[in-house]
Amino acid sequence: MTAVPTGNLGDDDRLLDDAVAAFYAAQVEHSHLIQHLAVMNDLNPVDLRALQFLGAADEDRTPKELGGYLEMGTGAVTALLDRLTRRGFLDRVRNPDDRRSVRIELTADGFAVVGALRSAYRRALQRSLPRESVEVFITFTERMADAFRDPSADEADEVH
């Protein structure tokens, strides 16, 4: 869904540029947070992203799903899973529906790392988001996620 600007086009362009700059600034600080939490847990940022992905759903994930999320090949995913298993953050369990495949589940230590990340997000939101704006924020972030998932929805703005 594309927002329809109102008012002077030049003012709308400047306002969108300011919004992009604010978004970039938030991304930089988010990257710093991820780096900090990774270092605090003796992980690299990709390891932390993997744990975050695995902790975001109520069901176990497959190595293929994790590789798709991280845009990593089979060998790199295997090395990552070996590393996180050795560290005690996850377990590979046989899929009861298909003995040839495995599922990945977080251990208590893995959930603790994901919990620390969620706590950091909660603190940031509590400090920056007025209570009366939470539902607007949820709607906004869901729409932003949809827009990132389908960048071709507005091909007029596509960069070649």
Side-chain angles (χ1 to χ4, degrees):
M1 178 178 270
T2 305
V4 177
T6 59
N8 182 308
L9 187 56
D11 291 343
D12 289 340
D13 283 345
R14 277 190 290 282
L15 188 59
L16 281 175
D17 286 344
D18 290 347
V20 168
F23 186 72
Y24 282 169
Q27 285 181 307
V28 167
E29 295 308 321
H30 180 254
S31 293
H32 290 172
L33 171 66
I34 294 295
Q35 182 67 34
H36 173 74
L37 287 173
V39 168
M40 295 300 295
N41 288 285
D42 196 26
L43 297 166
N44 67 52
V46 173
D47 293 348
L48 185 60
R49 287 184 57 220
L51 294 176
Q52 182 181 17
F53 174 75
L54 295 170
D58 290 335
E59 71 267 359
D60 298 338
R61 301 289 191 145
T62 66
K64 184 177 181 176
E65 290 169 326
L66 179 62
Y69 171 73
L70 295 173
E71 297 181 348
M72 296 172 71
T74 306
V77 170
T78 299
L80 175 130
L81 293 175
D82 289 346
R83 187 170 58 247
L84 292 175
T85 300
R86 276 194 308 274
R87 297 282 315 281
F89 292 117
L90 59 85
D91 288 318
R92 292 178 176 117
V93 294
R94 287 275 168 225
N95 183 342
D97 300 325
D98 180 359
R99 292 180 20 195
R100 296 168 294 159
S101 69
V102 296
R103 309 286 295 167
I104 308 164
E105 59 183 37
L106 291 178
T107 63
D109 288 345
F111 277 113
V113 172
V114 171
L117 183 56
R118 286 183 179 153
S119 292
Y121 289 158
R122 286 178 61 90
R123 282 190 305 275
L125 289 170
Q126 285 174 328
R127 286 195 316 256
S128 63
L129 187 63
R131 172 67 182 98
E132 63 274 7
S133 299
V134 172
E135 288 183 25
V136 171
F137 177 79
I138 292 168
T139 300
F140 163 76
T141 53
E142 288 171 346
R143 291 168 95 183
M144 187 72 125
D146 289 343
F148 284 143
R149 246 187 310 281
D150 187 12
S152 65
D154 189 7
E155 294 179 20
D157 291 338
E158 201 169 298
V159 177
H160 296 280

